[in-house]
């Protein structure tokens, strides 16, 4: 299975090295478009984040840092991770509302960050 999140990047956010100012870039070259366009590839990542399934190595890294990345607006993310995170979050908001609802309930129960992302990334249907 292909790797990724940068989930619920979000979804390209990976493990922080001790005393590092950014997360590792080990997973920065993952093809997010392929994962987001294929529910069979996306679902395992969502299930990992929700503690409903096994996690791939990159899924474990994302899960370790997703809350911190949300809280600090991805301050430790590389530019590629920031771009990927917005892409994944936008996709979830606009195309996978059930996943988005479950993930935001778990990682942002007070809706501090989810509303901001929804306002910024929700596309209006024509």
């Amino acid at each position: 299975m292909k790797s990724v999140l940068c989930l619920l990047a979000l979804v390209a956010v990976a493990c922080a090295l001790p005393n590092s100012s950014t997360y590792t870039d080990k997973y920065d070259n993952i093809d997010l478009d392929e994962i987001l366009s294929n529910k069979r590839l996306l679902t395992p990542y969502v299930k990992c984040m929700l503690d409903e399934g096994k996690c791939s190595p990159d899924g474990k890294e994302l899960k370790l840092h997703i809350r911190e990345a949300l809280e600090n607006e991805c301050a430790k993310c590389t530019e590629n991770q920031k771009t990927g995170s917005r892409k994944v979050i936008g996709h979830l908001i606009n195309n996978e509302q059930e996943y988005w609802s479950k993930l935001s309930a778990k990682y942002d129960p007070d809706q501090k960050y989810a509303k901001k992302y929804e306002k910024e990334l929700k596309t209006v249907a024509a």
Side-chain angles (χ1 to χ4, degrees), residues 5-124:
L5 165 143
C6 137
L7 191 106
L8 12 25
L10 228 135
V11 141
V13 179
C15 173
L17 299 174
N19 300 317
S20 178
S21 61
T22 61
Y23 300 118
T24 183
D25 61 0
K26 184 176 180 178
Y27 302 109
D28 277 13
N29 294 317
I30 291 169
D31 187 348
L32 293 177
D33 291 323
E34 181 179 7
I35 293 165
L36 295 175
S37 67
N38 185 331
K39 198 139 183 166
R40 185 182 60 80
L41 298 176
L42 177 62
T43 298
Y45 286 100
V46 174
K47 288 188 176 214
C48 166
M49 296 299 110
L50 294 172
D51 298 318
E52 295 175 356
K54 292 182 181 180
C55 293
S56 62
D58 53 324
K60 287 178 186 176
E61 296 297 333
L62 172 61
K63 193 171 168 181
L64 266 174
H65 300 287
I66 191 169
R67 203 175 301 271
E68 176 188 33
L70 282 172
E71 291 172 0
N72 67 25
E73 295 186 16
C74 223
K76 290 184 178 182
C77 295
T78 64
E79 286 305 312
N80 197 22
Q81 290 165 355
K82 288 178 184 178
T83 302
S85 295
R86 291 182 64 79
K87 177 184 277 196
V88 170
I89 291 169
H91 176 81
L92 293 172
I93 289 169
N94 292 299
N95 301 296
E96 303 288 349
Q97 188 60 48
E98 183 179 347
Y99 285 165
W100 173 249
S101 295
K102 288 179 178 181
L103 289 165
S104 60
K106 178 175 177 92
Y107 292 99
D108 184 20
D110 297 329
Q111 299 289 293
K112 289 183 194 176
Y113 314 104
K115 290 188 186 299
K116 173 187 176 275
Y117 288 116
E118 288 171 1
K119 183 177 180 182
E120 290 177 18
L121 300 173
K122 186 161 184 109
T123 57
V124 179

